[in-house]
Amino acid sequence: MHLARFPRLRFAHLPTPIEPMENLSRLLGGPKLWIKRDDCTGLATGGNKTRKLEYLLGDAIEKKADVLITQGATQSNHARQTAAIAARMGMACEILLENRTGSKDRDYLVSGNVIMDRLFGARLRDYPAGTDMNAAMQTVAEELKAEGKRPYVIPGGGSNAIGALGYVGCALEILTQASDLGLKLDHVVHATGSTGTQAGLVAGFAGARTGIPVYGVSVRAPRPAQEANVYKLVEATAEHLGIKGAIGKEAVVANSDYVGDGYGVPTEGMYEAMRLFARTEGLVLDPVYTGKGAAGLIDLCRKGHFKSSDNVLFIHTGGQVGLFGYTGPFDDMLSRRNDAAG
Ligand SMILES: *Cc1c(COP(=O)(O)O)cnc(C)c1O
């Protein structure tokens, strides 16, 4: 797994820190919880998409692209990071946003990630929930080609075998840091959506034969679909890395018990996780991904899924800016909770 074989540009502040969460570990009565701060990748307030975009842009530049096209939900963190990179590269950026939650809330539609997309100069196009966004991107690509442009289409979340290399790199980075810290890692837990993060981590940890299990907490798809999608990308990524067939299906675990009513729809567990991380560790999670991922982590700790002596690493994949697209529901939640706490 020699990543230097693949073209890559540098946008992220790496390595991101690994920090202990001693207060939260104590509150939950074990295991030993650690956090990998991929919310601190630097560019445009950070997040996990920047690692993937380093490899995607390496490929785009090799193909002499002059405009990036991508898609996501209205409050897409991936769109924000793509828009920032396009600005930095002097490239045009076309972003297709699907209002996946059907929300009409003003903050959801204009604040958080959306205001940053616009600040970076991306062109935004809005689509209703349920649109075939891949087909819509192809239509935009054809339009641009007809104008003589050289578009590069980045799939939602930057999740293909090229983007996933960013998280193969993250797995290798974690192994180096764990060795330096003398930290024996027993589990890695994170929120999984478009699958590139989990596929890259699994390809990295399993490809390096570490036996460190990766536990995905789904924020959208039911378990069988999410596990199948992640595994499909694990296989493609392994092939891209030159280790085709090296990783079995059993390496992919994705629990969908914490999705609630759907993608981007708040849950009680997510609120509780955000409040606990904030009030024990001073850490900000996001309502769509890390809040639900951490709700899963907390529930697994309470259910005794881990041994109390285990070291469990939660990957903070970013997304805090999205909180400002959810100010209404959050205000309600904080009022209720604070009243209940007296
Ligand atoms: C996109 C995203 C994820 C999920 O990563 P995937 O690679 O899409 O599975 C997790 N957390 C945040 C904050 C994200 O923006």
Side-chain angles (χ1 to χ4, degrees), residues 74-87:
T74 305
Q75 283 295 333
S76 169
N77 302 300
H78 165 67
R80 162 181 41 89
Q81 290 162 79
T82 304
I85 284 175

Side-chain angles (χ1 to χ4, degrees), residues 48-49 52 77 159 191-197 286 289-290 317-319:
N48 63 338
K49 303 312 180 302
K52 304 183 196 178
N77 302 300
S159 288
T192 177
S194 71
T195 76
T197 301
D286 82 287
Y289 293 96
T290 54
T317 38

Side-chain angles (χ1 to χ4, degrees), residues 16 26 32 50 70-71 118 120 133 147 154-155 162 165 183 185 187 227 247 256 269:
T16 59
R26 202 175 310 118
K32 290 182 202 129
T50 301
T70 199
Q71 62 97 0
R118 294 175 59 208
F120 292 126
M133 297 302 283
E147 291 169 20
I154 298 175
I162 298 171
L165 295 177
L183 168 63
L185 280 180
H187 298 272
E227 289 187 340
I247 304 161
S256 62

